[in-house]
Amino acid sequence: QVQLVESGGGLVQAGGSLTLSCAVSERTVRNNAAAWFRQTLGKEREFVAGITWAGSTFYADSVKGRFFISRDDAKNTVYLQMSDLKPEDTAVYFCAISQYGQVTRVAPHYPYWGQGTQVTVSS
């Protein structure tokens, strides 16, 4: 069973930075795409950023130029570096591993999820 554990969330002022980490328990998913989603109360889970097994990256328009996703397969870890944070970035952030090698922006394509980490940006 693949397990994902996120860390790095917290409270930050607008304009600040945070880096989220996602530790993946299994090496067997190295050929799968990984992604970060976020969710606020009453809303659907929203795609934030994704990275293919080969390292190609994709971003939601709302975070492009401010967020950076990366993966370190030697450490089985996926990262999300967030800068110039805005109050509208406040959400629970989830790491996910896809059933595919390519990134999709559809949550049901991701069978493996972490428990989520809260990011709160104050104005």
Side-chain angles (χ1 to χ4, degrees):
Q1 181 71 17
V2 178
Q3 294 186 329
L4 287 68
V5 179
E6 300 103 334
S7 61
L11 173 65
V12 64
Q13 288 189 332
S17 301
L18 280 176
T19 296
L20 305 182
S21 299
C22 174
V24 183
S25 65
E26 297 290 333
R27 296 162 58 98
T28 54
V29 295
R30 285 185 176 183
N31 291 332
N32 297 53
W36 288 92
F37 286 75
R38 65 188 181 187
Q39 189 171 25
T40 55
L41 195 62
K43 294 188 177 180
E44 290 188 357
R45 205 160 287 190
E46 170 191 38
F47 173 84
V48 175
I51 185 167
T52 69
W53 67 272
S56 297
T57 57
F58 302 84
Y59 298 93
D61 288 343
S62 60
V63 306
K64 203 171 292 184
R66 301 188 297 120
F67 290 13
F68 177 69
I69 187 172
S70 61
R71 61 191 298 166
D72 184 338
D73 288 333
K75 297 182 178 180
N76 291 343
T77 302
V78 181
Y79 302 96
L80 184 68
Q81 295 174 262
M82 306 183 294
S83 61
D84 190 22
L85 283 161
K86 303 176 181 182
E88 52 263 42
D89 294 318
T90 295
V92 177
Y93 283 71
F94 296 89
C95 176
I97 300 296
S98 176
Q99 59 185 316
Y100 305 116
Q102 298 302 315
V103 171
T104 62
R105 299 172 186 242
V106 182
H109 289 174
Y110 294 77
Y112 308 112
W113 292 86
Q115 80 286 353
T117 185
Q118 177 71 46
V119 172
T120 303
V121 184
S122 63
S123 57

